[in-house]
Amino acid sequence: MSDANTSRQGLTVRLAPDLLDRVRRIAEAEHRSASAYLEQLVERDLAARDEAERVVRVFVDPALAGAAEGMVAREADEDAARHASRAATLDRLFGGD
């Protein structure tokens, strides 16, 4: 027996017959076993959860230190319409109020 097989744990999963049939058909179409397909689904879901929980650090330009959060400063040569458009875009991107 190889090391890869001895380090893996087994798990019994109970599925409704129609769900199991669908899993088997998908696995067969992908030339893999139903177990390998389910393992891939679990790995994919865990990776997505890890990504969703990842901490994102935002570094602020020192020139912006102390600026009110959520405020978009108007640039010197920027008209009101352009400023409003830029502020709305940043609000959508960063989820401001």
Side-chain angles (χ1 to χ4, degrees):
M1 205 175 242
S2 72
D3 288 338
N5 289 334
T6 59
S7 66
R8 297 167 66 102
Q9 299 274 324
L11 174 69
T12 300
V13 178
R14 299 187 191 286
L15 300 173
D18 57 331
L19 187 59
L20 179 58
D21 182 56
R22 187 171 179 198
V23 165
R24 286 180 173 156
R25 283 186 282 121
I26 293 169
E28 184 179 335
E30 295 182 2
H31 306 289
R32 66 175 76 219
S33 68
S35 294
Y37 175 71
L38 291 174
E39 183 177 7
Q40 177 196 25
L41 290 178
V42 170
E43 288 172 351
R44 191 183 314 158
D45 182 73
L46 292 175
R49 287 173 182 269
D50 289 345
E51 179 64 20
E53 294 171 358
R54 186 170 56 97
V55 174
V56 177
R57 289 183 170 70
V58 177
F59 295 94
V60 177
D61 185 323
L64 297 175
E69 190 173 318
M71 298 296 293
V72 177
R74 189 168 171 174
E75 296 177 359
D77 60 345
E78 187 173 45
D79 64 23
R82 173 70 183 129
H83 176 259
S85 173
R86 192 166 57 87
T89 299
L90 291 172
D91 184 52
R92 282 192 305 275
L93 286 172
F94 297 109
D97 294 329

